[in-house]
Every structure is written in C-alpha cells, then in structure tokens.
Amino acid sequence: MKVIDLARRAGVTAETVRHYTREGLLAPERNPDNGYQRYDSTDLERLRFIQRSRTLGFSVAEIRQILEHADHGDSPCPLVRDLMAERLPEIRARIRELEALASRMEQALEAWSDMPDGTPDGHSLCRLIESFPESLAAEDDTTTPRQEATS
C-alpha cells in the first residue's frame, strides 16, 4: 500500500503517515522498482495502535518506548500503566489550573465590560490588564516553572 492508501484506511492524512514514518514508528519497505514506500497490513495495525495511544495522551516518545518493548517481545503493559499513573495526576493538576484561569478570565471580562478603551500614553499600556487586581494575579504565581513553560 502507498502512503495515501494507508492514510485512507486508517482515517488520517498522508502527512500523519509520513510524520510517524519519520519518527520511526512505522517502517515501510521500499519498492525496488520506483523507490516508493510500501506499507502492509502490519503497518495499518501499528498506525491504529499509535492513534489509540495518542487518544490516551501518550507522546510520540512514549509510544516509541512502548513499541520498542513490543518489538523486542517484552510486554509493554507495565510501562503503559506506569506512564499513565504518572501522567494522570499531572493532567488533573492542569485541569485545576485551567479552571482557575477560566474563572479569572470570566472575572476580568465582567469587570472590563463597562470600561472604556484606552490609548497607550507612556505610563499605561492597556488599562484593562493594568486594572486587574494584583491579589488575583498573585494567586496565579503559585504555578511551577514547568507549568509556566507549558502555558
């Protein structure tokens, strides 16, 4: 099967197939006659596995680890459980952060609804943001450096 055929059968774009091939998650053979990559039913199953893994939140690097275990005949299930157990608390913390952010945004929009627009004058950049209470902004300073980097 060509890239486009595999993509259609898996319900993804051809670029997705090419991406996973570049990442080493798919390893097609080369057609000796024309140099095109040839995928088979094993690649289709592997691509579907990758899609399921991505749906569960696994990164490409984690999927690579999982596939390497399987390719060497080792059960990747303990690794999958460990990765998921590690990730779940991080996701729950991120959800709490996003809920707090949504609340601050709602408060800001409510407070700003009757405020006029201002023009920067050398002392003020944006009156809306500058009017935001520091006490609410200080609550946000409890994020970790990693959390700030991903925000």
Side-chain angles (χ1 to χ4, degrees), residues 10-40:
V12 299
T13 66
E15 185 51 39
T16 297
V17 173
R18 290 185 192 99
H19 172 71
Y20 291 140
T21 300
R22 282 191 303 272
E23 289 291 334
L25 302 180
L26 298 173
E29 293 182 13
R30 289 267 177 204
N31 183 328
D33 297 330
N34 57 21
Y36 289 173
Q37 294 175 324
R38 283 193 307 202
Y39 297 88
D40 59 22

Side-chain angles (χ1 to χ4, degrees), residues 109-121:
L109 282 172
E110 175 77 22
W112 296 344
S113 65
D114 295 327
M115 289 182 69
D117 294 341
T119 304
D121 59 10

Side-chain angles (χ1 to χ4, degrees), residues 97 141-149:
E97 291 170 15
D141 289 340
T142 60
T143 58
T144 64
R146 180 177 183 271
Q147 291 166 331
E148 288 175 3

